[in-house]
Amino acid sequence: MAKSSTDTVYTYLQSQQTCQDFLYKCYQHLDGVDAATKSYENCNAFMYNMMHGRQFYANGKKLNTLLKPILFFYGMVHLLKANLLTIRPDYPESTTILAHGVSTRKRKKKDYTFMGDEVKVQHNGLFPYFSEHLFKQLRVPFEKIKMDLLFGLIPEMDSLFTMQGERRMVPVGDIGGATLRFPDSLLDHYHLTVNTFIERIRPFLPTIKNIEQTNSAAVIKLDSPLTANSGPFYVHSQDKTLYFPAAREQFIPVSEVMVHYLLLFNLSMLCRYEPEWWGDLLSSKSEADYPFIVHFLEVTAEKIPHLLGEELLNHVNFLH
């Protein structure tokens, strides 16, 4: 099986020499940074965060579902830290950044379901820090958010929602394509006219060249292909189709990496601190939560190392 480009960048950055050279080139583009000194100082931290993160994922895939969320969450944390070191040579600038940056309810209700649970974003910690510096999200557009909404922002989860008679996402184009097609039914769900809808999404698009209205859809022609994998446009990892939230309450323009972080954080907390509920879910499979959680774990195991590898690859391509 051929290696993907993200597998190749991970392989390339497995030695101290290649890591230090990579960081040196990254830091040369930052103002007021001694690239030679900082690349030397950060080389090992960058390399081991990346290596440990990938190993957590590799081991997690082999383990029972019982333990997967913990290994995937901390694997993700390591890969995020490696990415941050490419643009923040002094990371971590303070101990407040080292916290997770998100919290869950301490007590679970008697009729608790994971889909109905929520997480709360903190002002400090890794989540708001990487959201700002990696994905230019200066302000997270929610204080609390339910797991049900987060699942709905992952294209690969849409098939499960469809099976229970819901539609959370709509295919609107292809990654790298310059044409987007928004069906009239989507605009109806947003309760917006075509012009108002386009103004809503314009900040997330390249320059719009042309807008056409057919009998069933609004078709937008772009000046250049849409290549970014970030909300409100999300890419299906298998067919590279661009998906857009089907309803306005799902319009939460954040990076998909942020979505996976929040879901994995909550699942890892359940693993560690709610063994009775977690064990019962996995053994009895009585809740509708079960297939969604299992499918999500299969998706995130492959998708997050790929998405964060793409971030590193973008640096490599930029530097050359």
Side-chain angles (χ1 to χ4, degrees):
M1 185 175 175
K3 275 191 170 188
S4 71
S5 53
T6 52
D7 287 331
T8 303
V9 76
Y10 282 130
T11 301
Y12 174 72
L13 294 171
Q14 282 185 347
S15 77
Q16 287 181 330
Q17 183 175 346
T18 53
C19 283
Q20 187 173 344
D21 180 60
F22 173 64
L23 289 177
Y24 176 76
K25 289 173 180 174
C26 289
Y27 296 162
Q28 279 186 310
H29 294 270
L30 301 177
D31 292 333
V33 176
D34 182 340
T37 300
K38 277 297 177 182
S39 60
Y40 175 78
E41 289 176 357
N42 290 339
C43 171
N44 282 354
F46 172 77
M47 182 175 70
Y48 288 124
N49 268 308
M50 191 174 51
M51 289 171 61
H52 291 175
R54 296 192 76 211
Q55 195 63 54
F56 271 56
Y57 275 100
N59 289 347
K61 291 177 192 176
K62 298 173 187 175
L63 293 177
N64 187 285
T65 306
L66 183 75
L67 298 172
K68 284 180 186 292
I70 299 174
L71 272 78
F72 292 163
F73 177 68
Y74 284 107
M76 184 179 190
V77 166
H78 282 302
L79 293 182
L80 283 167
K81 289 179 177 179
N83 268 277
L84 284 167
L85 281 169
T86 65
I87 55 173
R88 305 290 293 175
D90 293 318
Y91 172 82
E93 292 92 333
S94 72
T95 54
T96 59
I97 297 168
L98 299 176
H100 292 128
V102 60
S103 62
T104 61
R105 291 193 190 116
K106 294 297 182 281
R107 283 185 171 276
K108 305 303 179 190
K109 297 177 180 177
K110 189 175 182 181
D111 57 350
Y112 173 83
T113 65
F114 182 74
M115 300 282 271
D117 198 7
E118 62 183 18
V119 290
K120 182 178 182 181
V121 177
Q122 304 295 314
H123 294 297
N124 296 308
L126 181 59
F127 180 72
Y129 185 88
F130 84 72
S131 299
E132 176 183 351
H133 295 295
L134 289 181
F135 302 110
K136 307 298 183 280
Q137 196 84 43
L138 299 180
R139 180 183 169 277
V140 179
F142 50 81
E143 184 181 340
K144 296 179 181 178
I145 192 165
K146 285 191 173 183
M147 303 299 99
D148 176 68
L149 280 175
L150 291 170
F151 274 147
L153 293 174
I154 300 173
E156 294 84 353
M157 301 297 295
D158 192 58
S159 55
L160 268 67
F161 285 109
T162 303
M163 287 177 186
Q164 62 181 28
E166 296 182 61
R167 197 72 206 262
R168 295 297 183 91
M169 303 201 102
V170 176
V172 295
D174 299 304
I175 190 70
T179 300
L180 299 174
R181 185 179 182 277
F182 297 92
D184 288 345
S185 57
L186 186 145
L187 272 67
D188 290 342
H189 287 137
Y190 276 75
H191 308 295
L192 296 173
T193 64
V194 171
N195 289 337
T196 307
F197 176 77
I198 289 170
E199 289 310 306
R200 172 79 67 90
I201 66 172
R202 190 185 291 273
F204 308 101
L205 296 173
T207 302
I208 294 175
K209 186 164 64 175
N210 186 33
I211 301 166
E212 299 174 11
Q213 279 188 259
T214 69
N215 291 332
S216 59
V219 180
I220 299 176
K221 304 280 187 180
L222 303 171
D223 203 33
S224 58
L226 186 61
T227 55
N229 187 354
S230 60
F233 297 93
Y234 298 93
V235 182
H236 194 293
S237 57
Q238 299 302 311
D239 58 20
K240 303 305 178 187
T241 300
L242 276 171
Y243 279 76
F244 190 86
R248 67 189 299 165
E249 61 268 19
Q250 283 283 150
F251 184 84
I252 307 167
V254 295
S255 163
E256 191 178 335
V257 172
M258 296 164 65
V259 173
H260 286 246
Y261 182 93
L262 295 174
L263 285 162
L264 282 174
F265 171 78
N266 204 4
L267 285 170
S268 70
M269 294 294 281
L270 288 172
C271 282
R272 287 177 285 171
Y273 302 118
E274 300 290 341
E276 186 177 352
W277 185 89
W278 183 241
D280 186 58
L281 175 80
L282 297 182
S283 59
S284 71
K285 304 177 175 63
S286 59
E287 298 287 343
D289 288 340
Y290 180 78
F292 281 86
I293 290 172
V294 169
H295 186 56
F296 166 70
L297 290 172
E298 292 170 354
V299 171
T300 197
E302 303 295 335
K303 197 167 190 180
I304 287 302
H306 177 75
L307 290 178
L308 291 177
E310 279 189 337
E311 291 292 317
L312 292 173
L313 192 60
N314 288 340
H315 278 293
V316 171
N317 293 335
F318 171 74
L319 297 172
H320 292 88

